[in-house]
């Protein structure tokens, strides 16, 4: 009877502990949600180079007016464990002035300006003659907290989106278009977690800014201005985690608790329920 009660108590404690741990894991995962508050406004223009890329938060839709042939740049932050998806929509002009057979394309670069490949999505698409818009998308690989120097894995830091018309005829140059870009992320969790982390996220411009501040030349002010343009200040809502948290912590702790409960249950089953009989004296 005592053994049954002990096992039942251990089972209840184990279930409660697992529920608490899984709830904590969900809370931590939810803290990295790409959505943001509605106080900040999304940009209504785009940059024309990496240095002038407009920063956009994940979960917000950036808009811009441009002309065919322009290169449009935006930047966004992505942290370890996230799998970003970039969606872009190009709204074409009236049919009378619509580009004939133009092919639109989006490319994503990391903080080192390395082009990142898309896992899936329509990265390039030709506009149909009767189309009023062109939809593009690119889902990146999961951002890793650490990687080998020779690898091209996505790492925490700033990412750049470039939208442009890849093929145009001379008559299509300069026609007005409008563009919309939105970045969302899926929290992948411990299935893609790795040991190790970067000393700092790949945010371009920080080294340039420090060098400009330490310089005593007469061009300090000009260099500082350029550094300020190059510096990307965007970061996740809760700051950079650098991969310190993943749901592997939850499952590791849950495995330890289950192992301890199994040990208690095994001891209760094997120790016996009766008292050892005394041996009469002289036997």
């Amino acid at each position: 009877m005592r053994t049954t009660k002990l096992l039942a108590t251990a089972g209840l404690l184990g279930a409660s502990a697992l529920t608490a741990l899984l709830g904590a894991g969900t809370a931590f995962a939810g803290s990295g949600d790409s959505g943001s508050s509605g106080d900040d406004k999304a940009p209504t223009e785009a940059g024309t180079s990496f240095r002038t890329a407009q920063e956009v938060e994940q979960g917000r839709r950036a808009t811009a007016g441009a002309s065919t042939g322009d290169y449009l740049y935006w930047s966004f932050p992505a942290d370890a464990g996230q799998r970003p998806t970039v969606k872009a929509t190009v709204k074409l002009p009236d049919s009378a002035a619509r580009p004939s057979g133009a092919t639109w394309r989006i490319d994503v670069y990391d903080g080192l300006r390395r082009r990142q490949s898309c896992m899936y999505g329509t990265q390039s698409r030709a506009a149909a003659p009767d189309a009023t818009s062109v939809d593009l998308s690119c889902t990146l690989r999961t951002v890793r907290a650490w990687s080998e120097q020779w690898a091209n894995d996505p790492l925490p830091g700033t990412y750049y989106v470039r939208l442009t018309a890849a093929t145009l005829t001379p008559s299509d140059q300069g026609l007005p278009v409008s563009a919309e870009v939105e970045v969302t992320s899926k929290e992948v969790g411990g299935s893609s977690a790795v040991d190790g982390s970067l000393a700092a996220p790949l945010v371009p411009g920080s080294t340039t800014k420090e060098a400009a501040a330490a310089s005593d030349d007469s061009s300090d002010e000009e260099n500082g201005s350029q550094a300020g343009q190059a510096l990307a200040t965007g970061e996740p809502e809760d700051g950079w985690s650098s991969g310190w948290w993943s749901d592997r912590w939850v499952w590791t702790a849950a495995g330890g608790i289950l192992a301890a409960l199994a040990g208690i249950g095994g001891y209760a089953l094997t120790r016996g329920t009766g008292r050892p009989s005394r041996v009469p004296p002289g036997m």
Side-chain angles (χ1 to χ4, degrees), residues 239-261:
W240 299 104
S241 68
S242 296
W244 73 271
W245 167 259
S246 73
D247 55 11
R248 291 197 303 177
W249 289 82
V250 176
W251 295 110
T252 301
I257 293 176
L258 290 177
L261 293 176

Side-chain angles (χ1 to χ4, degrees), residues 103-276:
T103 299
W104 294 87
R105 179 182 179 89
I106 55 171
D107 294 289
V108 183
Y109 300 83
D110 65 7
L112 300 178
R113 298 188 184 178
R114 303 177 301 180
R115 182 177 171 276
Q116 294 295 318
S117 58
C118 302
M119 291 181 58
Y120 49 84
T122 306
Q123 188 177 3
S124 178
R125 173 173 287 175
D130 57 346
T132 59
S133 63
V134 177
D135 295 325
L136 306 169
S137 65
C138 174
T139 299
L140 300 178
R141 294 170 294 168
T142 303
V143 178
R144 296 163 57 93
W146 179 86
S147 177
E148 297 287 351
Q149 295 181 358
W150 47 262
N152 194 35
D153 296 321
L155 295 171
T158 301
Y159 284 77
Y160 294 95
V161 180
R162 183 178 71 183
L163 173 64
T164 188
T167 59
L168 283 174
T169 63
S171 60
D172 294 333
Q173 294 283 349
L175 296 179
V177 295
S178 61
E180 297 180 355
V181 170
E182 183 179 8
V183 182
T184 57
S185 284
K186 176 182 178 182
E187 296 289 343
V188 177
S191 60
S192 298
V194 296
D195 295 330
S197 61
L198 299 178
L202 302 179
V203 179
S206 56
T207 303
T208 307
K209 186 177 181 180
E210 293 172 0
S215 175
D216 295 328
D217 297 338
S218 60
S219 60
D220 277 352
E221 183 177 355
E222 181 181 355
N223 291 337
S225 172
Q226 294 176 354
Q229 292 178 359
L231 181 63
T233 59
E235 64 177 31
E237 184 179 359
D238 298 324
W240 299 104
S241 68
S242 296
W244 73 271
W245 167 259
S246 73
D247 55 11
R248 291 197 303 177
W249 289 82
V250 176
W251 295 110
T252 301
I257 293 176
L258 290 177
L261 293 176
I264 295 174
Y267 172 76
L269 290 173
T270 58
R271 69 168 184 159
T273 57
R275 296 183 179 180

Side-chain angles (χ1 to χ4, degrees), residues 49-68:
S49 66
F50 286 100
R51 286 180 174 270
T52 60
Q54 289 292 315
E55 297 179 2
V56 58
E57 296 181 5
Q58 292 194 29
R60 296 195 176 280
R61 180 171 297 178
T63 59
S67 300
T68 54

